[in-house]
Amino acid sequence: MKKKILLMGKSGSGKTSMRSIIFASYLARDTMRLGPTLGMENSHVRFMGSLVLNLWDCGGQDAFMLNYFESQRESIFRNCSVLIYVFDIDSNETEKDLEYFQSCLDAIMQNSKDCKIFCLIHKFDLVPEENRESLFQERAKHLIEMGHPLKITCFRTSIWDETLFAAWSKIVYALVPNVQVLEKKLTKLASIIQSDEIVLFEKSTFLVISHATTTKHNDVHRFEKISNIIKQFKLSCSKTQAQFSSLMVRNTHFVAHIRQFTENTYILLVMDGTIPSAATLMNVEVARHAFEKIQ
């Protein structure tokens, strides 16, 4: 199954940097050496086994943007599953950015009416923390109104924290087949093994695919923080020619296991520390075969 994803926005908005962090295992600091995208870069990323993401990273220089809306309009915007438009919160060309976004919406309406549209309002690390929520709500409200009757979903993001993983996890969640079945199976597994929480991550990107929670937690970004930490730890392992296999963290309150689950996923299990780990891992191994059939 192939899904076409358009990644668009003005030059310098951060499109290629976020793509490199999510799909090419770059660290945030390593993106400084990336140059601007010239024209359109097309890549295929295998995600969750049968799902292939056909990613179109579209350079944002004015000449290229005009070509996308005129001579290349049909080939660029036809058969799109997802449009991701990236706005630089620090841009001094906001009006032009909004004009290009409106042109994208018009082209989507004409060529791919069922396309899901996401706006990433990026580089929010440059905004004082006390102003972030109000500024985001203001920008998101305007973009949603612009998009009507199309549905627009907005995220605030930065390459320097977990918000980038949070946004992309939500985006790929909308594309993964059988995700509702996965959630039901995870909920059942959590009940059987008496787990406080189970999280399923995609193997290569470590984006969150699904989760089941039986105990309330206050940190709504905990999954994405874990994604970010484990992704960086895996990179550190690879630099020493070591392979990340599994990890266990134990204290007086809980025990957490992270390990490969199926061919395409890793699983995080958060348990009461009094439950024997051997019994938990044996049950997870038995469940693995059922999850492999779903994918």
Side-chain angles (χ1 to χ4, degrees):
M1 181 187 301
K2 185 182 291 186
K3 299 285 187 177
K4 181 177 178 180
I5 301 177
L6 286 184
L7 183 58
M8 305 194 76
K10 282 279 290 172
S11 179
S13 60
K15 303 182 299 297
T16 302
S17 293
M18 63 173 65
R19 186 196 74 180
S20 299
I21 289 171
I22 297 296
F23 296 108
S25 297
Y26 274 59
L27 294 174
R29 64 175 180 269
D30 295 335
T31 63
M32 300 298 183
R33 65 174 186 263
L34 293 171
T37 301
L38 300 178
M40 192 277 296
E41 293 185 2
N42 195 331
S43 59
H44 290 78
V45 179
R46 184 165 292 279
F47 192 90
M48 291 291 290
S50 61
L51 178 61
V52 176
L53 305 182
N54 182 13
L55 189 61
W56 297 43
D57 185 355
C58 301
Q61 293 83 356
D62 291 339
F64 295 132
M65 295 292 274
L66 292 174
N67 280 336
Y68 303 149
F69 304 133
E70 295 173 5
S71 61
Q72 297 178 285
R73 186 182 184 92
E74 186 176 351
S75 63
I76 293 286
F77 292 96
R78 183 179 55 201
N79 298 325
C80 289
S81 297
V82 169
L83 166 66
I84 302 170
Y85 199 98
V86 182
F87 291 91
D88 180 354
I89 193 65
D90 201 40
S91 173
N92 56 8
E93 294 186 303
T94 302
E95 290 304 316
K96 182 177 284 188
D97 221 358
L98 292 173
E99 288 176 15
Y100 285 150
F101 179 57
Q102 185 62 62
S103 297
C104 284
L105 296 177
D106 294 341
I108 288 294
M109 279 289 289
Q110 184 179 6
N111 294 279
S112 300
K113 289 184 179 180
D114 295 328
C115 178
K116 295 178 173 64
I117 303 172
F118 299 91
C119 291
L120 305 190
I121 308 174
H122 196 45
K123 303 184 182 180
F124 248 88
D125 54 283
L126 301 176
V127 178
E129 189 168 354
E130 64 272 15
N131 299 334
R132 290 176 186 174
E133 184 60 25
S134 60
L135 181 57
F136 170 71
Q137 293 298 337
E138 176 188 323
R139 296 290 178 90
K141 182 173 183 278
H142 183 53
L143 294 173
I144 291 169
E145 290 173 351
M146 279 183 68
H148 185 78
L150 295 170
K151 181 182 178 182
I152 312 292
T153 304
C154 299
F155 300 100
R156 73 182 197 203
T157 56
S158 167
I159 64 173
W160 300 103
D161 60 29
E162 70 279 355
T163 55
L164 184 64
F165 281 87
W168 277 89
S169 290
K170 297 290 194 308
I171 291 168
V172 298
Y173 177 88
L175 296 174
V176 174
N178 300 321
V179 71
Q180 287 80 18
V181 179
L182 278 174
E183 288 181 339
K184 288 181 180 178
K185 292 284 188 183
L186 280 180
T187 301
K188 184 176 181 180
L189 178 60
S191 174
I192 291 171
I193 66 176
Q194 299 179 338
S195 175
D196 292 344
E197 196 152 54
I198 301 179
V199 188
L200 207 59
F201 299 95
E202 198 276 331
K203 180 181 176 181
S204 59
T205 62
F206 243 80
L207 293 174
V208 178
I209 301 302
S210 184
H211 75 278
T213 303
T214 61
T215 302
K216 185 178 179 180
H217 295 273
N218 294 324
D219 188 351
V220 296
H221 294 299
R222 60 193 180 279
F223 304 148
E224 292 75 27
K225 290 176 181 177
I226 294 169
S227 289
N228 203 1
I229 292 168
I230 297 299
K231 189 84 177 283
Q232 293 193 45
F233 182 66
K234 286 180 67 180
L235 286 172
S236 299
C237 290
S238 64
K239 288 178 180 178
T240 60
Q241 298 184 334
Q243 291 291 325
F244 173 75
S245 174
S246 62
L247 176 70
M248 183 181 74
V249 177
R250 180 186 291 274
N251 63 22
T252 55
H253 303 291
F254 71 89
V255 58
H257 298 274
I258 300 178
R259 58 181 49 238
Q260 186 164 347
F261 186 42
T262 67
E263 183 181 356
N264 304 304
T265 63
Y266 272 75
I267 195 168
L268 165 66
L269 309 161
V270 181
M271 315 283 299
D272 185 306
T274 61
I275 299 175
S277 293
T280 297
L281 297 179
M282 185 180 299
N283 281 321
V284 170
E285 180 62 23
V286 171
R288 179 174 61 85
H289 303 291
F291 280 85
E292 285 178 336
K293 292 178 182 177
I294 299 172
Q295 297 177 45

